Amino acid sequence: MSTPGCTGIADGLTRVREQIAAACARSGRAPEDVRLIAACKTFGDDAVRSAIACGQLAFGENYVQEAKAKWPALKADHPGTELHLIGPLQSNKAREAVALFDVIHSLDRPSLAKALSRQCDAQERRPAMFVQVNTGAEPQKSGVLPQEADAFIASCRDVHGLNITGLMCIPPAGEPSEPHFGHLAKIAARNGLTGLSMGMSGDYGAAIEHGATCVRVGSAIFGNRTYPAPPSDGPRPVTAPAQ
Ligand SMILES: *Cc1c(COP(=O)(O)O)cnc(C)c1O
């Protein structure tokens, strides 16, 4: 795993926080209504510790295996940190995901809802969850289709008793993100959901202008990733942004 310099991370965080404040000012929103999630996949725990030293508390991981290797020690040292799963989740990893994560952003199919619900009951833990919507209807991408979102959200709540707090999307690469952010916000509003997990390094300012409550920012904080070989919990998801 790469370990970028501490100063680089401090500078990255400062710049991103300034951009978040600027986007909030442009859209008349309060900066404390936008949560910055530092997406730290592929970066080692030195990098995470540097970010924590700069006051960053919320972190996003993509792979259960990687999070399991990094986070028990980090959480023990920094109980105030908050861990978000932002990558696709296999149903057979639901037990570990419920045990490890405070928030899951990639709830996207009935079989996973069922597996997570069973684990929430068994572990008496209720991580907050975002339903991922495939706003671009891309065949290779995770997420429920927009036209299936209302029914899926209802069944996550009413049938599976999950703690659904909002919606998440990853707009298609190479197109403007704004229509996707607007669409996600509309689906959330009509389902009475206030959480919107949208915006990455290239577009978090625009996401905030469209109402994002969580932005997931990696490379703008930690620098460019050099992707390692696929981790042991599955192939590298096609949803990983190639920017
Ligand atoms: C890696 C990742 C991010 C962060 O991407 P950057 O472009 O590095 O900011 C955000 N969301 C998801 C789902 C990711 O996999």
Side-chain angles (χ1 to χ4, degrees):
M1 295 184 196
S2 18
T3 40
C6 182
T7 348
I9 292 171
D11 290 349
L13 269 171
T14 302
R15 272 195 308 273
V16 170
R17 286 171 182 155
E18 285 168 0
Q19 294 299 317
I20 289 174
C24 285
R26 283 198 299 278
S27 46
R29 302 187 57 203
E32 53 280 11
D33 293 343
V34 179
R35 191 125 183 94
L36 170 60
I37 300 171
C40 59
K41 59 175 175 264
T42 80
F43 292 105
D45 76 345
D46 287 0
V48 173
R49 286 178 197 276
S50 298
I52 294 170
C54 299
Q56 178 63 29
L57 290 178
F59 291 87
E61 291 282 4
N62 283 65
Y63 311 108
V64 173
Q65 285 312 117
E66 182 177 338
K68 243 172 67 179
K70 274 153 79 171
W71 280 91
L74 288 165
K75 279 251 180 179
D77 291 347
H78 302 283
T81 50
E82 188 180 287
L83 191 56
H84 297 247
L85 177 65
I86 60 176
L89 177 60
Q90 298 174 323
S91 297
N92 64 6
K93 294 277 193 299
R95 184 178 55 80
E96 292 168 304
V98 166
L100 258 173
F101 292 95
D102 302 298
V103 186
I104 294 172
H105 292 242
S106 47
L107 171 54
D108 67 349
R109 59 193 190 279
S111 57
L112 181 60
K114 196 169 164 187
L116 287 170
S117 165
R118 196 177 296 142
Q119 287 304 324
C120 288
D121 290 345
Q123 301 182 35
E124 294 183 5
R125 259 179 72 81
R126 293 246 168 273
M129 294 186 195
F130 287 80
V131 167
Q132 183 173 351
V133 182
N134 185 356
T135 54
E138 296 172 278
Q140 84 287 7
K141 196 167 270 181
S142 309
V144 287
L145 292 170
Q147 63 270 28
E148 293 164 359
D150 296 358
F152 182 63
I153 293 163
S155 101
C156 286
R157 286 167 157 165
D158 304 339
V159 180
H160 300 293
L162 295 170
N163 176 14
I164 306 297
T165 57
L167 303 182
M168 180 269 221
C169 76
I170 305 172
E175 309 185 4
S177 302
E178 282 88 343
H180 297 276
F181 296 155
H183 193 182
L184 195 72
K186 236 170 88 177
I187 299 171
R190 72 173 181 242
N191 285 281
L193 291 167
T194 50
L196 286 170
S197 169
M198 55 191 199
M200 309 192 302
S201 290
D203 55 16
Y204 62 94
I208 290 167
E209 292 180 39
H210 284 83
T213 59
C214 290
V215 293
R216 312 175 308 266
V217 180
S219 45
I221 296 170
F222 296 108
N224 289 326
R225 287 178 292 274
T226 42
Y227 279 103
S232 51
D233 58 328
R236 177 149 68 81
V238 288
T239 49
Q243 294 185 3

